[in-house]
Structures are given as C-alpha cells and as structure tokens.
Amino acid sequence: MRAAIRNIAAVACVGALLSACSTGTTPEATQSDAPSADPNQEVTLSVATFNEFGYEELFEEYMADNPNVTIEHRKAATSNEARDNMNTRLAAGSGLADIEAIEVDWLTELMQYSDKFTDLADPELDGRWLDWKVEAVTTEDGKVIGYGTDVGPEAICYRADLFEQAGFPTDREEVADLLEGDWDTYFNVGKDFVANSDGVAWFDSASATFQGMVNQVENPFENSDGTPIPLAENDEIKSIYDDIATAAVDDNLSAGLAQWSEDWTNAFQTDKFATMLCPGWMLGVIEGNAEGVEGWDIANVFPGGGGNWGGSYLTVPAQSENPEHAKKLAAWLTAPEQQIKAFESKGTFPSQVEALEDPALLDSTNAFFNDAPTGQILADRANAIEVQPFKGPNYFALAQLVTDALNRLDVEGTDDAASSWDKAVEAYAALGLS
Amino acid sequence: MKELTWRQRLSRFDVKASPYLYISPFFILFFIVGLFPLAYTAWVSVHEWHLIGGQGDLVGFTNYTDVVQQPNFYKALRNTFSIFLLSSVPQVLAAIVIAYLLDTNLRAKTFWRMGVLLPFVVAPVAVSLIFAKIFADQSGLVNAVLELMGATGIAWHGDPFAAHVAIATMVNFRWTGYNALIFLAAMQAIPREIYEAAIVDGAARWRTFFSVTVPMLRPTIIFVVITSTIGGLQIFDEPRMFDTLGQGGADRQWMTLTMYIYELGWGAQKNFGRAAAVSWLLFLIIVLVGVVNFLITRSIASSASGKAGR
C-alpha cells in the first residue's frame, strides 16, 4: 500500500505537465557565484530521488543536526519517471527540487547542458570518489555537476529454496562455482534448471538481462567521439540481442516480465523465477517486493566477469533557490560514512574510496539474503569490473530501442526476434540522428 | 431633435458597452491560455526546436512531413480512434439509459444520483493504478477469473485491441456517470405533460423513451458527443498509466496521439518542433471529427423526431 501511494504521488508529478507538484516560481537561474548563504537561515530543501536510495533515516539525522533545515523528500517509483520529470522541468526552468538525483544512463544527455546545474567542484572533496565516477560528471572546463552516490557492481541473486527443489546446490559458494564463466554458461545452467524445475523460469526479464550484457561492452551504441553507431550496422549489439532472444524465448529461460511492472512486482511473491542480475541497489528492491519470502541469497559471481549497472549522482540544479544549502546537504549525503548507512539500509553500494575499505562495509551482512556478506561480495564484484562502457548523449534513446524490441518478444509477444529487430532499426531511422 | 447632454450620452454608451465589458474576462482569459498557446505552437512547429536546447532554425513544414512519414504516427492515430470509439460510443448510450433510470421514481433519489458521480471524483491516476492491478497479464484479477472459468487469460498488454478495451473501460468508469448527470438534468427539463399525453395515447415505455425522451434531448446529446470527442481524442492519463513505462507498450500498442506528442517532445528525441507539429495535426483532426460528429448527431436526432409522427 505504501508503494501504491508513492506511485500515485510520483506519477501525478510526472503525468501532469503543469502539475501542482512544482514548488511555485523560481527566480532566474542563479549562477554559482551566488553570495554565501547564512548557515543558520531557516530553509526548506527538496530532494528528489527514485527507487530506493536509503536516505530516509539520513534525512532525519540531518534535520536533527541542523534544526534550521527542513527536508522534503520526493520519491519517484522508477528512474524513467524521474528522468521525464527532470527533462520537463529543466526545460521549463522551474519546478525542480533543490537536489535532483540522476542516473548514470541519462547523465551524458544532461552533461550537454551543464550550465543548468550548479558547479559543485570542491577541492576539499578531491579523492572522495572512484576516479571514473568523478570523470563522468566533470565537464571539459573542470566543472563538476554532481556528487556520486552509489555504483552498481553486479552479482547474481538467487532463490536457494527453488534451487533445492530442482536438485541444484544451494550454498552461495557452490552456486558461484556453478555459474563461473561467460553468458553462455549462465544460460546453459539455466536450461538445466528449467528442465528440472516445475515451471519456474531461470531469470525474470530479457531486457534486464540485456542491460547486464550491454554494460560489459566498450562502445555499446556510440563511438567514443559521441557519434551514434547506426543500429543496423551494430553487430556487437545484434549478437547480444540474438543470444538473449534465443535464451529468453526459444529456451524458455525468461519469466517474460518487464522490470518494475505490476506482474514483475507480484512475481516475487509467486515463485516465477529463480535468479536475477543483482546490482547493489537491487537488494533493497528485492527485499521490498519479496517481503515474507524466504530463500533469497546472493552469489559472488557474474557472467562475463564483472559489470556495473547504474549508480547515481546528486545534482543541484541552477534553478535552486538555496544552492549553498543544497550543496552542503549533497556533500553530507554522499560522504563515505553516510553512504555506508544508505548501503546498510537499502544495499546501494558506495562509490566513495574510503567507504570501500571501511570495515563497516566489508563486514556488513544482509539478514534478508540469508545473512550473506553482501559488503564483501559487492566489493569483490566492484573489483572485477574491467569495462566502463562509453555512454554518449544518445545512449538512453538507443538503449531504449533495443529494450523495447526485447520486451516485444519477451513480455508482450507481439513479434519474433527478427521482426522485432527490424522494428528497432526502423525506430532508429525515426530518431533522425545523423 | 435636441442635443443630448453629456450625462445622457454617457448612459447610452454605458448601455451599449457594458455587456461587452462583462463578458470580456472570458475572452481575455481565452486569449491568454487558449489562442496564444495555439499560435505559439504553430510558431514552434515550423522551427527546429530542442526541449532543453531551445529554438533552432526556421525549417518550414519539414517537421510535418517528417512525422507523417513515421509509422508511429499512424499507430498513434489508429490507437486514438480505436480507444475513442470504444469509450465514447458505449459511454453516451449507457449514460442516456442510466439517466432515464435515475429519472424514474426511485427511493433515495439523491443518493443514487450522487452515486453515479463517485467514479468521477477519483483521480484518474488512482483509477489507473487500480485497473493496472485488475488488468495485469499474469497476476491480474480479470485473467485470474478467466482462468478459474477454464478460459485462457487475455494478453491485455500484448494485443492492441485488448489493451484498447482495458483502457476504454477505465475511461468509461470515470465519465459515464458524469455524462449521465448531464442527460438527467436535460430530462428533468422535458415537460411532464408530453409524457402524460404519450401515456394517454397508449405508448409503451420504450416507445416514449425513443419518441419523446431522445428527440427532446437532441441539443444535450450534441453537446455531450462534442465534448466526449474533444476529450476522447486527447486521452493521455489512462493509457500512460496502463503500464509502468508509460510509453504505450513496447510495440506502441496503446500509444495515443497525445502520448506520441509527449514522446517526441520529452522522450528520446526531445524534438519540440515535431511535437508541436503533431499537436497542430491533432487540433485539426479534432475540429474535423467534431464537425462530422455534429452533422451525424443532428441528423440522427432530427430523423428520430421525424419518426415520432408516424
């Protein structure tokens, strides 16, 4: 029910273009040379996040330490909603929160409009984050538009109870050995599982699995100079698409669910699938959706080595009326000690160098996942990441084309693999990129 | 003819000009929130215009020719009309029947009359969330019931027609009661003597309904059909909320024209020029359909009253 209410609120904000969710009028965008604000002034800061950032308790803590600050939390259910909301209000020049969380997949789009964000560069914070995490938000002239929150090192989450029913090993070490290898290994083990299980699929969704595969490609959709690779000529993506389409549909490994949909959420309660790709931030999502289900566990393994899916930043839009206060809060929220608390709350894995070595992180376990040492596992998974895919200004739009294509055959069943790919190529032409 | 005094002239001016002054707020408001955006949209539609980047070059009708060459435009057109027909037609017919029932001698009249308006006060987004649970493909209520009865579940999010039916159901849930009340108000205004005369002439109930009630409702039917047309062709909330992604399905099975506008302007392309072009096309389509509807309704209503004499 709580989720439903949250959905309503989030969607109401996104759905109505001129919604009443905006905070009223904002003055002309303030430049970063705004005078320093009085630190004790009464101020209300709005923070917009999506999915599960694990900030609820941190907000309380900050407000207790800073009695003059009131934090208003706006939580969107999905990152797509948050993105629509962001674009709309960025264009309108008003209505954004003082702190807007952004997802790494749409970051590159926004980097083109870095003048719409407050410069957060701060010599004191040098070396706080992993290098690649900061590079992604730094413009050519040295402006920093966001503070890193989390990264998404991926492991495999699995249902030990369903594994047992299929005669599979249940211990997380053994499962890791079983799945060690490339994607073909993962799919082959899946075939074996589906043959021995009573109608339980191997993974939840083709498009979600595709995400994991794409995040191991150097240049998934664009050349390193930012020009798009025409989809019809993109052999690398085509072969990944063919692999996942075969695995999902022909081999019946997929439960045919679109992530975040009503059916997907309910499937956690009805034993529809046994494994899923599991970036750190997904742990909190699984725990919420699979409430009362026993048997979830996490294996220290990922097909094809390591992979990063997602991860976010906190930005302060230039339209914020309290950029100084917002910057201070964003810096506090993304400090190593706070990020560790967020990790403990929802599994969002830190992008802060100090936090990665912190015993509090490495020794942390997750009760829902059978007391798995999630901190250590995700730290190992982060160390296994070899590729940071290049994501240019059109990454989001192009990834969406293939995601749609996979949903057509995996979820909605309107097309077969070939015709669905043709539609994606057609849609690429409609984008008018050149 | 005596020269008018200043005071007389002023009073004459007052009489002539005052009515315009009194109605002016509406027109001033309409100019600001209706006419100006319409013109500005036309201005945007002939430019290259990026959502965040802003105004670009003047490109004439390129945006229009671009969008009418895209398959998604026709898909959106098909979906919009399909959902519009599936919702508006049953809605108006049901509303008339419900209004007729409410116009009979019921106990607790006001209770029933307020009852039909209840769905209208619920926010469409909330309605969509509830219906999303009802029409979920694998875990939805409708398919669960169908499977209990031994039938196979329907692919509410796969098959375009099924999706349209589901969305039309949401629309009907919300608007039928509202339109019924409008019809009810009109029915209350029909003089009771006519009914009495019909009964004295020995007309059966259905005969009075078709030969007295419906013809007398003619102006109201025209009004409701026109407003349903305008609303129905601009449908956005319900189809957008029909799944979590809000794109109208992976194959755009239920993407309506307004969602297409949203996708062009705010989606991957962020192309305001194209979005504005589709907005104008939608405006022209609505005007056209509105006129056609008006003519059809007028002829139906007048032929119905013509038959009454036979």
Side-chain angles (χ1 to χ4, degrees):
Chain A
M1 190 63 223
R2 249 205 351 241
I5 291 170
R6 196 175 65 222
N7 281 346
I8 293 173
V11 170
C13 290
V14 175
L17 296 186
L18 300 166
S19 79
C21 302
S22 62
T23 50
T25 53
T26 20
E28 287 301 296
T30 44
Q31 291 307 314
S32 47
D33 57 10
S36 279
D38 167 16
N40 297 320
Q41 164 202 5
E42 286 287 325
V43 62
T44 302
L45 295 174
S46 46
V47 181
T49 66
F50 45 87
N51 295 348
E52 299 288 354
F53 270 67
Y55 282 170
E56 283 77 0
E57 284 157 21
L58 292 174
F59 289 153
E60 296 298 326
E61 188 182 331
Y62 191 84
M63 287 193 275
D65 294 347
N66 303 275
N68 60 316
V69 177
T70 314
I71 297 173
E72 181 189 290
H73 191 193
R74 307 179 194 162
K75 196 165 169 183
T78 68
S79 62
N80 277 14
E81 277 171 26
R83 176 179 169 266
D84 281 353
N85 186 44
M86 178 100 193
N87 287 337
T88 306
R89 293 171 200 280
L90 206 57
S94 68
L96 283 172
D98 295 304
I99 295 180
E100 284 279 342
I102 59 170
E103 226 264 325
V104 64
D105 282 3
W106 18 292
L107 169 70
T108 38
E109 275 181 320
L110 295 171
M111 286 297 283
Q112 303 174 89
Y113 313 105
S114 57
D115 58 331
K116 302 212 181 260
F117 294 92
T118 306
D119 183 9
L120 301 178
D122 188 342
E124 281 179 33
L125 302 182
D126 276 349
R128 178 187 273 191
W129 294 275
L130 296 166
D131 288 347
W132 56 265
K133 187 80 182 170
V134 182
E135 273 160 29
V137 279
T138 309
T139 63
E140 282 169 18
D141 52 3
K143 184 174 175 182
V144 175
I145 70 163
Y147 288 155
T149 57
D150 62 326
V151 285
E154 294 172 281
I156 297 284
C157 290
Y158 67 99
R159 287 277 303 271
D161 54 332
L162 298 177
F163 269 43
E164 193 171 12
Q165 284 169 19
F168 269 46
T170 57
D171 176 73
R172 67 180 73 95
E173 307 282 334
E174 291 174 35
V175 172
D177 289 341
L178 179 72
L179 296 174
E180 190 59 49
D182 56 8
W183 287 98
D184 283 342
T185 311
Y186 176 69
F187 294 145
N188 285 330
V189 175
K191 283 184 220 170
D192 194 18
F193 176 86
V194 170
N196 289 301
S197 79
D198 184 20
V200 181
W202 180 236
F203 56 78
D204 56 337
S205 154
S207 54
T209 311
F210 170 78
Q211 273 272 20
M213 299 165 91
V214 162
N215 281 324
Q216 292 173 334
V217 177
E218 295 263 4
N219 289 74
F221 297 104
E222 292 149 302
N223 302 309
S224 295
D225 59 359
T227 52
I229 303 168
L231 198 58
E233 299 157 22
N234 196 335
D235 299 335
E236 200 163 10
I237 291 295
K238 178 70 165 78
S239 84
I240 292 180
Y241 171 86
D242 289 336
D243 287 351
I244 181 71
T246 307
V249 181
D250 304 343
D251 300 335
N252 252 329
L253 301 186
S254 167
L257 301 158
Q259 281 203 322
W260 316 110
S261 70
E262 185 70 28
D263 282 329
W264 180 76
T265 308
N266 292 334
F268 283 89
Q269 297 288 347
T270 51
D271 303 349
K272 292 266 192 224
F273 54 91
T275 70
M276 67 187 289
L277 308 190
C278 222
W281 48 264
M282 190 64 90
L283 298 177
V285 176
I286 294 177
E287 192 174 341
N289 287 340
E291 199 179 351
V293 175
E294 283 177 16
W296 277 102
D297 206 327
I298 177 169
N300 191 351
V301 65
F302 194 70
N308 179 74
W309 176 5
S312 302
Y313 294 89
L314 296 183
T315 65
V316 177
Q319 51 179 263
S320 165
E321 286 179 55
N322 304 300
E324 289 297 319
H325 287 284
K327 184 178 167 182
K328 188 178 151 205
L329 172 58
W332 183 85
L333 283 171
T334 56
E337 47 276 13
Q338 271 65 255
Q339 189 60 49
I340 286 178
K341 287 179 192 166
F343 171 77
E344 285 166 349
S345 163
K346 297 289 177 193
T348 52
F349 193 77
S351 61
Q352 294 81 351
V353 178
E354 244 177 81
L356 295 176
E357 291 148 11
D358 195 312
L361 175 88
L362 297 175
D363 299 342
S364 71
T365 56
N366 189 318
F368 184 81
F369 287 85
N370 192 16
D371 294 312
T374 43
Q376 186 62 56
I377 289 177
L378 290 168
D380 290 349
R381 292 291 94 217
N383 290 329
I385 297 172
E386 288 156 13
V387 179
Q388 283 303 327
F390 174 82
K391 296 181 178 179
N394 292 306
Y395 174 83
F396 193 91
L398 297 172
Q400 189 73 60
L401 297 180
V402 185
T403 306
D404 277 344
L406 286 168
N407 283 339
R408 276 194 288 269
L409 56 104
D410 180 46
V411 183
E412 294 167 2
T414 55
D415 286 270
D416 59 29
S419 69
S420 197
W421 178 260
D422 292 343
K423 282 183 182 175
V425 171
E426 201 175 68
Y428 176 89
L431 286 178
L433 302 172
S434 47
Chain B
M1 188 75 186
K2 230 174 76 178
E3 193 65 28
L4 289 173
T5 63
W6 166 245
R7 179 176 288 255
Q8 280 169 317
R9 243 181 286 165
L10 191 67
S11 114
R12 179 185 284 188
F13 175 77
D14 178 30
V15 169
K16 275 204 168 118
S18 291
Y20 295 103
L21 188 68
Y22 294 141
I23 59 167
S24 68
F26 166 77
F27 285 97
I28 292 168
L29 203 65
F30 171 74
F31 188 84
I32 295 168
V33 302
L35 210 58
F36 171 72
L38 204 66
Y40 193 73
T41 304
W43 173 248
V44 173
S45 74
V46 294
H47 287 79
E48 265 189 12
W49 202 298
H50 188 276
L51 170 69
I52 302 174
Q55 188 174 352
D57 303 339
L58 184 74
V59 291
F61 285 97
T62 315
N63 286 323
Y64 290 88
T65 50
D66 281 350
V67 292
V68 296
Q69 285 169 6
Q70 299 198 355
N72 271 359
F73 175 75
Y74 297 99
K75 234 178 224 178
L77 204 61
R78 175 202 74 181
N79 295 343
T80 307
F81 273 93
S82 168
I83 294 173
F84 160 64
L85 290 173
L86 284 169
S87 58
S88 292
V89 175
Q91 200 186 105
V92 171
L93 297 177
I96 295 180
V97 174
I98 292 171
Y100 189 71
L101 295 175
L102 287 172
D103 198 27
T104 52
N105 276 324
L106 293 167
R107 285 191 190 182
K109 253 194 201 120
T110 316
F111 167 78
W112 296 114
R113 286 174 188 178
M114 288 297 101
V116 296
L117 202 60
L118 264 185
F120 184 70
V121 263
V122 183
V125 172
V127 172
S128 308
L129 278 171
I130 293 160
F131 276 83
K133 291 199 187 307
I134 295 174
F135 287 116
D137 293 24
Q138 297 190 9
S139 56
L141 181 71
V142 178
N143 283 355
V145 170
L146 284 173
E147 278 154 26
L148 269 182
M149 301 193 311
T152 47
I154 295 170
W156 295 110
H157 289 77
D159 179 57
F161 185 73
H164 298 173
V165 170
I167 292 165
T169 310
M170 291 187 231
V171 179
N172 291 342
F173 171 79
R174 187 169 152 73
W175 288 96
T176 309
Y178 173 87
N179 287 330
L181 281 199
I182 293 178
F183 283 129
L184 176 64
M187 282 180 195
Q188 307 254 298
I190 298 173
R192 300 287 131 174
E193 293 86 354
I194 305 182
Y195 283 121
E196 283 162 21
I199 293 166
V200 169
D201 287 345
R205 232 168 205 246
W206 61 269
R207 182 68 204 262
T208 23
F209 176 74
F210 283 109
S211 304
V212 179
T213 312
V214 174
M216 298 292 274
L217 283 180
R218 192 178 121 186
T220 316
I221 294 176
I222 292 177
F223 170 80
V224 167
V225 166
I226 299 284
T227 49
S228 303
T229 305
I230 294 171
L233 293 177
Q234 292 179 342
I235 184 168
F236 181 83
D237 292 10
E238 287 89 351
R240 183 168 165 81
M241 294 291 308
F242 190 52
D243 74 349
T244 29
L245 292 174
Q247 315 182 98
D251 201 26
R252 305 297 183 270
Q253 301 94 309
W254 64 89
M255 176 179 71
T256 60
L257 275 168
T258 40
M259 289 170 75
Y260 185 52
I261 291 168
Y262 189 74
E263 185 180 329
L264 289 173
W266 285 265
Q269 305 185 35
K270 299 205 184 62
N271 191 329
F272 248 45
R274 284 183 183 176
V278 179
S279 305
W280 253 91
L281 291 172
L282 177 63
F283 172 72
L284 295 175
I285 290 166
I286 290 177
V287 169
L288 194 74
V289 175
V291 169
V292 170
N293 260 341
F294 176 75
L295 296 174
I296 293 174
T297 332
R298 207 176 53 174
S299 69
I300 288 177
S302 59
S303 68
S305 59
K307 274 193 210 133
R310 277 177 236 152

